[in-house]
Amino acid sequence: MAAADATSGQLDSSTLLKLICAGFSFFVAGVNDGSIGALIPHVIRYYGITTAIVTGLYGASFFGWFFAAVTNTHLSQRLGLGAMLAIGAFLQLAAQALRAWPVPPFGLYVFTFWLTCLGQAYQDAHANTFVASRQGSTAVHRWLGFIHAMYMAGCLAGPFAASSIASSGTGSNWWLFYTVPLALGVVNLGLVVAAFRDSITVLKPDTGAQQAEAGMSASALVNATLKEKSVWLLSLFFFFYLGVVVTASGWVVEYLVSVRNGNLTQMGYIPAGFSGGALLGRILLPEPTHSWGERRMVFLYCIFCLVFQLVFWLVPSIIAASVAISFLGFFSGPFFATAISVGTKLFPPEINSTAISFVFVFAQIGGSLFPTVTGVLGARIGLSVVQPMLIGLICAMGISWLLVPQPQIKGE
């Protein structure tokens, strides 16, 4: 029996477990990423550092994703899908174990971000590719919507857990939060082993999954991917998109505390508004986006994002800021799954897996670079720089989306 019926959407238990595992891996990544904004003010005050120094966290994240981009294709031709997912889950688990002990040295704390992002890159990119490669466009856009909604569910849960734990007592026990992602990491690794045990293998040099499919070496696959114009154009959109998401969610708490004089114990929950909005967007918007046209709808959502970001900037009210950033999350919610779905239609089949992994990693590079730049500029001229930075990124995101080619519908 086929693993799934492309037209009916019926799944056997093995495929369903794998899809649930993929979704849970995104939830784990979301809990980690969503907690950063709530913890940064505590990290700054506990270690006595500036916003420029704390951007070392984003710099370490950048190098984690960059290292993954360099090594991913070569490793995936030597290791099965399950092995790549297991390595990614283990690296994240190891990072959380290093964090979950009384006040790790700042240098070690920074290193764990490299380790976490390396693990996320391997696991999320291959889980994303697994879901995106399913046959049947309807199933693809719905399941992509599911796994990316799970990421935002994690981002929603992260700030609540981080703020409640970090704000308890004197606030010096913020590191206790990491026992939460540590426990989730154990479950994550266990799920991968259970769901993908059939592909936790070491492949022969001439039988790698991608090489067997395309008859190409890892270097040839990378070269073919880098020559594909649509890969670079879609990557550019993701580069700016994740720059918006991580900059907004990562710096909003410190911005509201230092610029608008908000109460730290209360402002730590604001990123949950962004994540909650994005979660609803990823649940409610995929169907109208798919039905009314991805190109038209995503650009319209970009305009809405710009409007609400201007409200956040120009209306000097913390309540207005909370509402505006929630709507920013809502309208940007379906971007990731929609753009990945478009990519599967644009990329040649022989480079599809490598191209999606490259785009996914390139997105995370943007999500590391722009928050770093924001923090460095914030240390010099103040965190008011967050607002014009986000306006510029949203505009660049909308323009870059218009540059992405429109996929031809097969059979027309």
Side-chain angles (χ1 to χ4, degrees):
M1 180 182 291
D5 187 317
T7 57
S8 67
Q10 295 177 349
L11 304 171
D12 64 19
S13 58
S14 175
T15 304
L16 182 60
L17 180 60
K18 289 178 178 178
L19 289 168
I20 292 173
C21 177
F24 188 76
S25 72
F26 275 77
F27 177 79
V28 172
V31 170
N32 177 82
D33 295 352
S35 65
I36 296 174
L39 291 175
I40 277 180
H42 295 278
V43 172
I44 289 174
R45 286 155 181 79
Y46 188 87
Y47 288 106
I49 56 179
T50 65
T51 57
I53 295 176
V54 84
T55 57
L57 307 180
Y58 293 110
S61 300
F62 170 84
F63 285 109
W65 288 102
F66 181 79
F67 185 80
V70 172
T71 59
N72 179 64
T73 299
H74 293 275
L75 282 176
S76 63
Q77 291 214 325
R78 297 293 180 265
L79 300 172
L81 173 62
M84 291 298 300
L85 293 172
I87 288 175
F90 175 78
L91 290 173
Q92 293 173 78
L93 178 61
Q96 304 301 349
L98 290 173
R99 294 171 177 175
W101 58 291
V103 194
F106 184 69
L108 176 62
Y109 185 61
V110 171
F111 170 75
T112 62
F113 279 77
W114 179 86
L115 202 60
T116 301
C117 289
L118 181 62
Q120 282 185 10
Y122 289 149
Q123 187 177 20
D124 291 0
H126 285 276
N128 201 84
T129 302
F130 168 75
V131 176
S133 62
R134 283 179 42 77
Q135 297 299 313
S137 61
T138 301
V140 166
H141 88 267
R142 287 177 179 166
W143 280 107
L144 283 172
F146 163 71
I147 65 172
H148 291 292
M150 288 294 289
Y151 175 82
M152 294 316 304
C155 288
L156 176 61
F160 281 106
S163 292
S164 60
I165 295 174
S167 299
S168 62
T170 62
S172 60
N173 292 331
W174 56 269
W175 54 271
L176 282 172
F177 159 75
Y178 288 111
T179 58
V180 175
L182 175 62
L184 293 175
V186 173
V187 178
N188 183 31
L189 182 58
L191 264 178
V192 169
V193 172
F196 291 91
R197 58 186 180 276
D198 56 340
S199 58
I200 301 180
T201 55
V202 178
L203 306 173
K204 295 180 180 180
D206 58 345
T207 59
Q210 294 172 333
Q211 189 170 340
E213 176 186 3
M216 302 168 70
S217 67
S219 298
L221 278 169
V222 172
N223 288 336
T225 300
L226 296 181
K227 291 178 181 177
E228 181 64 35
K229 183 179 178 181
S230 61
V231 172
W232 286 103
L233 292 175
L234 193 63
S235 296
L236 187 64
F237 168 76
F238 274 106
F239 181 70
F240 291 121
Y241 162 63
L242 222 65
V244 171
V245 170
V246 180
T247 302
S249 60
W251 285 111
V252 62
V253 176
E254 184 63 18
Y255 171 82
L256 292 174
V257 171
S258 63
V259 177
R260 297 199 173 168
N261 301 315
N263 188 312
L264 176 56
T265 59
Q266 297 174 350
M267 296 303 100
Y269 296 101
I270 297 297
F274 177 87
S275 301
L279 174 60
L280 289 176
R282 293 185 178 191
I283 293 174
L284 300 177
L285 294 180
E287 287 301 328
T289 303
H290 183 73
S291 300
W292 298 337
E294 290 98 340
R295 187 179 184 86
R296 177 190 303 112
M297 295 306 295
V298 168
F299 185 69
L300 181 62
Y301 298 153
C302 287
I303 294 175
F304 287 145
C305 288
L306 181 61
V307 169
F308 283 107
Q309 180 55 41
L310 285 170
V311 171
F312 186 10
W313 185 7
L314 300 177
V315 179
S317 165
I318 290 179
I319 294 177
S322 303
V323 173
I325 201 167
S326 297
F327 277 104
L328 175 62
F330 178 76
F331 286 110
S332 64
F335 286 0
F336 213 122
T338 301
I340 286 292
S341 180
V342 168
T344 60
K345 302 170 189 174
L346 285 174
F347 305 148
E350 63 272 14
I351 68 165
N352 194 59
S353 178
T354 302
I356 290 176
S357 297
F358 176 82
V359 168
F360 197 75
V361 170
F362 201 81
Q364 301 294 342
I365 292 175
S368 301
L369 178 62
F370 290 112
T372 301
V373 172
T374 301
V376 172
L377 292 176
R380 294 188 175 185
I381 61 178
L383 272 182
S384 57
V385 73
V386 168
Q387 300 295 353
M389 175 69 74
L390 286 172
I391 292 295
L393 287 174
I394 292 172
C395 291
M397 178 177 65
I399 293 171
S400 64
W401 177 250
L402 294 179
L403 298 176
V404 176
Q406 187 155 4
Q408 298 297 317
I409 301 176
K410 296 177 182 178
E412 283 195 352

